[in-house]
Amino acid sequence: MAFGSEDDKGATGAAKFVTSTVGNTVGGLGKTVGGVVGAGGRGLGQTVTAATGSAGKPVGEAIESLGNGAENGANNVSKGVEDAGKWK
């Protein structure tokens, strides 16, 4: 069903517009936050590894993995929010 069809008039059209706008906004914000958390985790992990050498490498890599996991999780949730806003 394409946006602008006969089914998208009146209350349905208004609801789709609002949910699309909110979904895209919240989804985009979620991806931004996920990216910041992911980059921060990777940076902190690399700093720990560089500062402690081989002794701290497992801890640094674990911190990096946590950052990557948080970023991937936020991206997946954000995609779901955007899809919901598109009534998928």
Side-chain angles (χ1 to χ4, degrees):
M1 170 171 44
F3 192 76
S5 71
E6 289 296 317
D7 295 334
D8 291 337
K9 292 191 177 185
T12 302
K16 285 187 176 186
F17 174 77
V18 170
T19 57
S20 174
T21 301
V22 171
N24 287 335
T25 301
V26 172
L29 182 60
K31 288 179 180 178
T32 300
V33 170
V36 169
V37 170
R42 284 187 298 276
L44 181 59
Q46 291 168 2
T47 300
V48 168
T49 299
T52 59
S54 61
K57 186 175 180 180
V59 174
E61 288 177 347
I63 294 170
E64 286 184 58
S65 292
L66 287 172
N68 289 335
E71 182 175 14
N72 292 338
N75 285 339
N76 289 337
V77 170
S78 296
K79 173 91 169 81
V81 170
E82 289 175 346
D83 287 349
K86 295 174 186 171
W87 292 50
K88 289 186 175 181

